[in-house]
Amino acid sequence: PARSTQSRSSAASDVYKRQGKTLQVWTMHVGLDNAGKVIAGNFKQITFDEGDKRQPAWAPDGRKLLYVAPASGTGLDIFLLDLTKEGSQPVNLTKQKGDDTDPAWSPDGKYIVFTNRGKFVDIRMLYIMDANGSNITRLSLDFEEYNPTWSPKSDWILNVIHARDHRYLFMHSWIGNIYPTPFLSLIHISEPRD
């Protein structure tokens, strides 16, 4: 017997749509039709203020959303939108000099790791903060680091490190440490050849 695959996801997914000249964040329900093709519907805009919104990142429980947007006088900042409250306003979590990008929630929802460029020098560095935006702490010490992501148990942060004109995958051991212990193995990322 053929099984029906026509079900809509109750978890909203993120998509960018152009509204005039401003990039906003929208949600949509995604599912499969009876032929197994992806369908999308129930589009809903969830950001409305000025400035392009980029890099949306869902909280592990799906109740909050982070995104990157311009902030007055500080460059790009990371904003938090609580989707459990209808009409809630975005909260600027970072409010620091330079551009804050690449937000990534820890799987346990307690921390957010992100990249900053320009707070102290014009290189990308990793920072971590509590989920409410408090306790912002720099993780990068010696090299340019960016594009962080978490391991499933929230005990490692994997990111790209740029050192000596090469890019490597780098792992920080993170178990609530202020300064994570670097994992000694580096994986070289080679540049594509023409």
Side-chain angles (χ1 to χ4, degrees), residues 143-158:
F143 299 102
E144 182 173 24
E145 298 183 68
Y146 52 96
N147 288 348
T149 191
W150 291 87
S151 67
K153 293 182 181 178
S154 302
D155 53 351
W156 293 92
I157 298 170
L158 179 70

mmCIF file with all atom_site columns, all heavy atoms in Angstrom, residues 143-158:
data_model
loop_
_atom_site.group_PDB
_atom_site.id
_atom_site.type_symbol
_atom_site.label_atom_id
_atom_site.label_alt_id
_atom_site.label_comp_id
_atom_site.label_asym_id
_atom_site.label_entity_id
_atom_site.label_seq_id
_atom_site.pdbx_PDB_ins_code
_atom_site.Cartn_x
_atom_site.Cartn_y
_atom_site.Cartn_z
_atom_site.occupancy
_atom_site.B_iso_or_equiv
_atom_site.pdbx_formal_charge
_atom_site.auth_seq_id
_atom_site.auth_comp_id
_atom_site.auth_asym_id
_atom_site.auth_atom_id
_atom_site.pdbx_PDB_model_num
ATOM 1   N N   . PHE A 1 143 ? 44.651 33.621 16.774 1.00 0.00 ? 143 PHE A N   1
ATOM 2   C CA  . PHE A 1 143 ? 44.444 33.553 15.337 1.00 0.00 ? 143 PHE A CA  1
ATOM 3   C C   . PHE A 1 143 ? 43.058 34.063 14.970 1.00 0.00 ? 143 PHE A C   1
ATOM 4   O O   . PHE A 1 143 ? 42.181 34.204 15.819 1.00 0.00 ? 143 PHE A O   1
ATOM 5   C CB  . PHE A 1 143 ? 44.570 32.096 14.842 1.00 0.00 ? 143 PHE A CB  1
ATOM 6   C CG  . PHE A 1 143 ? 45.923 31.503 15.104 1.00 0.00 ? 143 PHE A CG  1
ATOM 7   C CD1 . PHE A 1 143 ? 46.123 30.630 16.158 1.00 0.00 ? 143 PHE A CD1 1
ATOM 8   C CD2 . PHE A 1 143 ? 47.001 31.831 14.298 1.00 0.00 ? 143 PHE A CD2 1
ATOM 9   C CE1 . PHE A 1 143 ? 47.361 30.082 16.402 1.00 0.00 ? 143 PHE A CE1 1
ATOM 10  C CE2 . PHE A 1 143 ? 48.248 31.289 14.535 1.00 0.00 ? 143 PHE A CE2 1
ATOM 11  C CZ  . PHE A 1 143 ? 48.432 30.412 15.587 1.00 0.00 ? 143 PHE A CZ  1
ATOM 12  N N   . GLU A 1 144 ? 42.871 34.302 13.684 1.00 0.00 ? 144 GLU A N   1
ATOM 13  C CA  . GLU A 1 144 ? 41.567 34.666 13.174 1.00 0.00 ? 144 GLU A CA  1
ATOM 14  C C   . GLU A 1 144 ? 40.684 33.413 13.170 1.00 0.00 ? 144 GLU A C   1
ATOM 15  O O   . GLU A 1 144 ? 41.066 32.379 12.644 1.00 0.00 ? 144 GLU A O   1
ATOM 16  C CB  . GLU A 1 144 ? 41.694 35.227 11.756 1.00 0.00 ? 144 GLU A CB  1
ATOM 17  C CG  . GLU A 1 144 ? 40.386 35.680 11.177 1.00 0.00 ? 144 GLU A CG  1
ATOM 18  C CD  . GLU A 1 144 ? 40.543 36.381 9.845  1.00 0.00 ? 144 GLU A CD  1
ATOM 19  O OE1 . GLU A 1 144 ? 41.538 36.148 9.139  1.00 0.00 ? 144 GLU A OE1 1
ATOM 20  O OE2 . GLU A 1 144 ? 39.639 37.154 9.510  1.00 0.00 ? 144 GLU A OE2 1
ATOM 21  N N   . GLU A 1 145 ? 39.493 33.511 13.772 1.00 0.00 ? 145 GLU A N   1
ATOM 22  C CA  . GLU A 1 145 ? 38.580 32.373 13.870 1.00 0.00 ? 145 GLU A CA  1
ATOM 23  C C   . GLU A 1 145 ? 37.166 32.829 13.511 1.00 0.00 ? 145 GLU A C   1
ATOM 24  O O   . GLU A 1 145 ? 36.756 33.925 13.873 1.00 0.00 ? 145 GLU A O   1
ATOM 25  C CB  . GLU A 1 145 ? 38.585 31.789 15.279 1.00 0.00 ? 145 GLU A CB  1
ATOM 26  C CG  . GLU A 1 145 ? 39.927 31.239 15.707 1.00 0.00 ? 145 GLU A CG  1
ATOM 27  C CD  . GLU A 1 145 ? 39.873 30.592 17.084 1.00 0.00 ? 145 GLU A CD  1
ATOM 28  O OE1 . GLU A 1 145 ? 39.215 29.542 17.206 1.00 0.00 ? 145 GLU A OE1 1
ATOM 29  O OE2 . GLU A 1 145 ? 40.466 31.160 18.020 1.00 0.00 ? 145 GLU A OE2 1
ATOM 30  N N   . TYR A 1 146 ? 36.414 31.944 12.843 1.00 0.00 ? 146 TYR A N   1
ATOM 31  C CA  . TYR A 1 146 ? 35.059 32.299 12.415 1.00 0.00 ? 146 TYR A CA  1
ATOM 32  C C   . TYR A 1 146 ? 34.252 31.045 12.075 1.00 0.00 ? 146 TYR A C   1
ATOM 33  O O   . TYR A 1 146 ? 34.760 29.937 12.115 1.00 0.00 ? 146 TYR A O   1
ATOM 34  C CB  . TYR A 1 146 ? 35.096 33.262 11.224 1.00 0.00 ? 146 TYR A CB  1
ATOM 35  C CG  . TYR A 1 146 ? 35.946 32.795 10.070 1.00 0.00 ? 146 TYR A CG  1
ATOM 36  C CD1 . TYR A 1 146 ? 35.378 32.123 8.994  1.00 0.00 ? 146 TYR A CD1 1
ATOM 37  C CD2 . TYR A 1 146 ? 37.319 33.016 10.042 1.00 0.00 ? 146 TYR A CD2 1
ATOM 38  C CE1 . TYR A 1 146 ? 36.153 31.683 7.927  1.00 0.00 ? 146 TYR A CE1 1
ATOM 39  C CE2 . TYR A 1 146 ? 38.096 32.589 8.985  1.00 0.00 ? 146 TYR A CE2 1
ATOM 40  C CZ  . TYR A 1 146 ? 37.503 31.925 7.928  1.00 0.00 ? 146 TYR A CZ  1
ATOM 41  O OH  . TYR A 1 146 ? 38.273 31.490 6.881  1.00 0.00 ? 146 TYR A OH  1
ATOM 42  N N   . ASN A 1 147 ? 32.970 31.242 11.735 1.00 0.00 ? 147 ASN A N   1
ATOM 43  C CA  . ASN A 1 147 ? 32.021 30.185 11.377 1.00 0.00 ? 147 ASN A CA  1
ATOM 44  C C   . ASN A 1 147 ? 31.915 29.096 12.447 1.00 0.00 ? 147 ASN A C   1
ATOM 45  O O   . ASN A 1 147 ? 32.121 27.915 12.171 1.00 0.00 ? 147 ASN A O   1
ATOM 46  C CB  . ASN A 1 147 ? 32.368 29.552 10.029 1.00 0.00 ? 147 ASN A CB  1
ATOM 47  C CG  . ASN A 1 147 ? 32.090 30.458 8.872  1.00 0.00 ? 147 ASN A CG  1
ATOM 48  O OD1 . ASN A 1 147 ? 31.443 31.477 9.015  1.00 0.00 ? 147 ASN A OD1 1
ATOM 49  N ND2 . ASN A 1 147 ? 32.585 30.099 7.709  1.00 0.00 ? 147 ASN A ND2 1
ATOM 50  N N   . PRO A 1 148 ? 31.551 29.448 13.668 1.00 0.00 ? 148 PRO A N   1
ATOM 51  C CA  . PRO A 1 148 ? 31.468 28.436 14.734 1.00 0.00 ? 148 PRO A CA  1
ATOM 52  C C   . PRO A 1 148 ? 30.208 27.582 14.625 1.00 0.00 ? 148 PRO A C   1
ATOM 53  O O   . PRO A 1 148 ? 29.166 28.034 14.143 1.00 0.00 ? 148 PRO A O   1
ATOM 54  C CB  . PRO A 1 148 ? 31.426 29.287 16.001 1.00 0.00 ? 148 PRO A CB  1
ATOM 55  C CG  . PRO A 1 148 ? 30.735 30.546 15.566 1.00 0.00 ? 148 PRO A CG  1
ATOM 56  C CD  . PRO A 1 148 ? 31.220 30.790 14.153 1.00 0.00 ? 148 PRO A CD  1
ATOM 57  N N   . THR A 1 149 ? 30.318 26.367 15.109 1.00 0.00 ? 149 THR A N   1
ATOM 58  C CA  . THR A 1 149 ? 29.171 25.475 15.268 1.00 0.00 ? 149 THR A CA  1
ATOM 59  C C   . THR A 1 149 ? 29.434 24.578 16.474 1.00 0.00 ? 149 THR A C   1
ATOM 60  O O   . THR A 1 149 ? 30.582 24.434 16.891 1.00 0.00 ? 149 THR A O   1
ATOM 61  C CB  . THR A 1 149 ? 28.907 24.653 13.987 1.00 0.00 ? 149 THR A CB  1
ATOM 62  O OG1 . THR A 1 149 ? 27.643 24.007 14.097 1.00 0.00 ? 149 THR A OG1 1
ATOM 63  C CG2 . THR A 1 149 ? 30.003 23.639 13.738 1.00 0.00 ? 149 THR A CG2 1
ATOM 64  N N   . TRP A 1 150 ? 28.398 24.001 17.025 1.00 0.00 ? 150 TRP A N   1
ATOM 65  C CA  . TRP A 1 150 ? 28.496 23.208 18.245 1.00 0.00 ? 150 TRP A CA  1
ATOM 66  C C   . TRP A 1 150 ? 28.413 21.727 17.949 1.00 0.00 ? 150 TRP A C   1
ATOM 67  O O   . TRP A 1 150 ? 27.732 21.304 17.022 1.00 0.00 ? 150 TRP A O   1
ATOM 68  C CB  . TRP A 1 150 ? 27.351 23.549 19.195 1.00 0.00 ? 150 TRP A CB  1
ATOM 69  C CG  . TRP A 1 150 ? 27.420 24.911 19.784 1.00 0.00 ? 150 TRP A CG  1
ATOM 70  C CD1 . TRP A 1 150 ? 26.935 26.063 19.246 1.00 0.00 ? 150 TRP A CD1 1
ATOM 71  C CD2 . TRP A 1 150 ? 27.997 25.272 21.035 1.00 0.00 ? 150 TRP A CD2 1
ATOM 72  N NE1 . TRP A 1 150 ? 27.179 27.115 20.084 1.00 0.00 ? 150 TRP A NE1 1
ATOM 73  C CE2 . TRP A 1 150 ? 27.824 26.656 21.196 1.00 0.00 ? 150 TRP A CE2 1
ATOM 74  C CE3 . TRP A 1 150 ? 28.628 24.557 22.044 1.00 0.00 ? 150 TRP A CE3 1
ATOM 75  C CZ2 . TRP A 1 150 ? 28.257 27.345 22.317 1.00 0.00 ? 150 TRP A CZ2 1
ATOM 76  C CZ3 . TRP A 1 150 ? 29.068 25.239 23.163 1.00 0.00 ? 150 TRP A CZ3 1
ATOM 77  C CH2 . TRP A 1 150 ? 28.882 26.620 23.296 1.00 0.00 ? 150 TRP A CH2 1
ATOM 78  N N   . SER A 1 151 ? 29.015 20.919 18.800 1.00 0.00 ? 151 SER A N   1
ATOM 79  C CA  . SER A 1 151 ? 28.813 19.476 18.761 1.00 0.00 ? 151 SER A CA  1
ATOM 80  C C   . SER A 1 151 ? 27.442 19.186 19.381 1.00 0.00 ? 151 SER A C   1
ATOM 81  O O   . SER A 1 151 ? 26.908 20.009 20.131 1.00 0.00 ? 151 SER A O   1
ATOM 82  C CB  . SER A 1 151 ? 29.913 18.753 19.539 1.00 0.00 ? 151 SER A CB  1
ATOM 83  O OG  . SER A 1 151 ? 29.815 19.050 20.916 1.00 0.00 ? 151 SER A OG  1
ATOM 84  N N   . PRO A 1 152 ? 26.854 18.019 19.096 1.00 0.00 ? 152 PRO A N   1
ATOM 85  C CA  . PRO A 1 152 ? 25.513 17.716 19.604 1.00 0.00 ? 152 PRO A CA  1
ATOM 86  C C   . PRO A 1 152 ? 25.368 17.754 21.120 1.00 0.00 ? 152 PRO A C   1
ATOM 87  O O   . PRO A 1 152 ? 24.287 18.036 21.632 1.00 0.00 ? 152 PRO A O   1
ATOM 88  C CB  . PRO A 1 152 ? 25.250 16.301 19.072 1.00 0.00 ? 152 PRO A CB  1
ATOM 89  C CG  . PRO A 1 152 ? 26.104 16.196 17.849 1.00 0.00 ? 152 PRO A CG  1
ATOM 90  C CD  . PRO A 1 152 ? 27.338 17.005 18.163 1.00 0.00 ? 152 PRO A CD  1
ATOM 91  N N   . LYS A 1 153 ? 26.429 17.500 21.868 1.00 0.00 ? 153 LYS A N   1
ATOM 92  C CA  . LYS A 1 153 ? 26.348 17.497 23.337 1.00 0.00 ? 153 LYS A CA  1
ATOM 93  C C   . LYS A 1 153 ? 26.798 18.823 23.962 1.00 0.00 ? 153 LYS A C   1
ATOM 94  O O   . LYS A 1 153 ? 26.975 18.907 25.176 1.00 0.00 ? 153 LYS A O   1
ATOM 95  C CB  . LYS A 1 153 ? 27.175 16.357 23.908 1.00 0.00 ? 153 LYS A CB  1
ATOM 96  C CG  . LYS A 1 153 ? 26.623 14.991 23.571 1.00 0.00 ? 153 LYS A CG  1
ATOM 97  C CD  . LYS A 1 153 ? 27.467 13.904 24.210 1.00 0.00 ? 153 LYS A CD  1
ATOM 98  C CE  . LYS A 1 153 ? 26.935 12.543 23.859 1.00 0.00 ? 153 LYS A CE  1
ATOM 99  N NZ  . LYS A 1 153 ? 27.761 11.471 24.434 1.00 0.00 ? 153 LYS A NZ  1
ATOM 100 N N   . SER A 1 154 ? 27.043 19.832 23.159 1.00 0.00 ? 154 SER A N   1
ATOM 101 C CA  . SER A 1 154 ? 27.490 21.157 23.630 1.00 0.00 ? 154 SER A CA  1
ATOM 102 C C   . SER A 1 154 ? 28.858 21.117 24.295 1.00 0.00 ? 154 SER A C   1
ATOM 103 O O   . SER A 1 154 ? 29.198 22.010 25.067 1.00 0.00 ? 154 SER A O   1
ATOM 104 C CB  . SER A 1 154 ? 26.484 21.780 24.610 1.00 0.00 ? 154 SER A CB  1
ATOM 105 O OG  . SER A 1 154 ? 25.221 21.918 24.034 1.00 0.00 ? 154 SER A OG  1
ATOM 106 N N   . ASP A 1 155 ? 29.667 20.096 24.018 1.00 0.00 ? 155 ASP A N   1
ATOM 107 C CA  . ASP A 1 155 ? 30.976 20.016 24.666 1.00 0.00 ? 155 ASP A CA  1
ATOM 108 C C   . ASP A 1 155 ? 32.133 20.444 23.756 1.00 0.00 ? 155 ASP A C   1
ATOM 109 O O   . ASP A 1 155 ? 33.259 20.565 24.227 1.00 0.00 ? 155 ASP A O   1
ATOM 110 C CB  . ASP A 1 155 ? 31.225 18.612 25.227 1.00 0.00 ? 155 ASP A CB  1
ATOM 111 C CG  . ASP A 1 155 ? 31.041 17.508 24.204 1.00 0.00 ? 155 ASP A CG  1
ATOM 112 O OD1 . ASP A 1 155 ? 30.551 17.781 23.089 1.00 0.00 ? 155 ASP A OD1 1
ATOM 113 O OD2 . ASP A 1 155 ? 31.375 16.356 24.518 1.00 0.00 ? 155 ASP A OD2 1
ATOM 114 N N   . TRP A 1 156 ? 31.865 20.665 22.461 1.00 0.00 ? 156 TRP A N   1
ATOM 115 C CA  . TRP A 1 156 ? 32.896 21.120 21.525 1.00 0.00 ? 156 TRP A CA  1
ATOM 116 C C   . TRP A 1 156 ? 32.344 22.241 20.667 1.00 0.00 ? 156 TRP A C   1
ATOM 117 O O   . TRP A 1 156 ? 31.164 22.242 20.318 1.00 0.00 ? 156 TRP A O   1
ATOM 118 C CB  . TRP A 1 156 ? 33.347 19.996 20.598 1.00 0.00 ? 156 TRP A CB  1
ATOM 119 C CG  . TRP A 1 156 ? 34.081 18.896 21.274 1.00 0.00 ? 156 TRP A CG  1
ATOM 120 C CD1 . TRP A 1 156 ? 33.550 17.743 21.791 1.00 0.00 ? 156 TRP A CD1 1
ATOM 121 C CD2 . TRP A 1 156 ? 35.473 18.838 21.529 1.00 0.00 ? 156 TRP A CD2 1
ATOM 122 N NE1 . TRP A 1 156 ? 34.533 16.964 22.340 1.00 0.00 ? 156 TRP A NE1 1
ATOM 123 C CE2 . TRP A 1 156 ? 35.731 17.613 22.193 1.00 0.00 ? 156 TRP A CE2 1
ATOM 124 C CE3 . TRP A 1 156 ? 36.548 19.679 21.264 1.00 0.00 ? 156 TRP A CE3 1
ATOM 125 C CZ2 . TRP A 1 156 ? 37.001 17.230 22.591 1.00 0.00 ? 156 TRP A CZ2 1
ATOM 126 C CZ3 . TRP A 1 156 ? 37.810 19.296 21.655 1.00 0.00 ? 156 TRP A CZ3 1
ATOM 127 C CH2 . TRP A 1 156 ? 38.031 18.087 22.309 1.00 0.00 ? 156 TRP A CH2 1
ATOM 128 N N   . ILE A 1 157 ? 33.225 23.166 20.312 1.00 0.00 ? 157 ILE A N   1
ATOM 129 C CA  . ILE A 1 157 ? 32.914 24.179 19.307 1.00 0.00 ? 157 ILE A CA  1
ATOM 130 C C   . ILE A 1 157 ? 33.867 23.939 18.149 1.00 0.00 ? 157 ILE A C   1
ATOM 131 O O   . ILE A 1 157 ? 35.083 23.887 18.335 1.00 0.00 ? 157 ILE A O   1
ATOM 132 C CB  . ILE A 1 157 ? 33.099 25.608 19.861 1.00 0.00 ? 157 ILE A CB  1
ATOM 133 C CG1 . ILE A 1 157 ? 32.148 25.867 21.021 1.00 0.00 ? 157 ILE A CG1 1
ATOM 134 C CG2 . ILE A 1 157 ? 32.901 26.632 18.739 1.00 0.00 ? 157 ILE A CG2 1
ATOM 135 C CD1 . ILE A 1 157 ? 32.418 27.151 21.773 1.00 0.00 ? 157 ILE A CD1 1
ATOM 136 N N   . LEU A 1 158 ? 33.320 23.768 16.969 1.00 0.00 ? 158 LEU A N   1
ATOM 137 C CA  . LEU A 1 158 ? 34.109 23.579 15.755 1.00 0.00 ? 158 LEU A CA  1
ATOM 138 C C   . LEU A 1 158 ? 34.018 24.864 14.953 1.00 0.00 ? 158 LEU A C   1
ATOM 139 O O   . LEU A 1 158 ? 32.938 25.435 14.802 1.00 0.00 ? 158 LEU A O   1
ATOM 140 C CB  . LEU A 1 158 ? 33.556 22.406 14.944 1.00 0.00 ? 158 LEU A CB  1
ATOM 141 C CG  . LEU A 1 158 ? 34.262 22.109 13.627 1.00 0.00 ? 158 LEU A CG  1
ATOM 142 C CD1 . LEU A 1 158 ? 35.662 21.552 13.886 1.00 0.00 ? 158 LEU A CD1 1
ATOM 143 C CD2 . LEU A 1 158 ? 33.440 21.121 12.805 1.00 0.00 ? 158 LEU A CD2 1
#
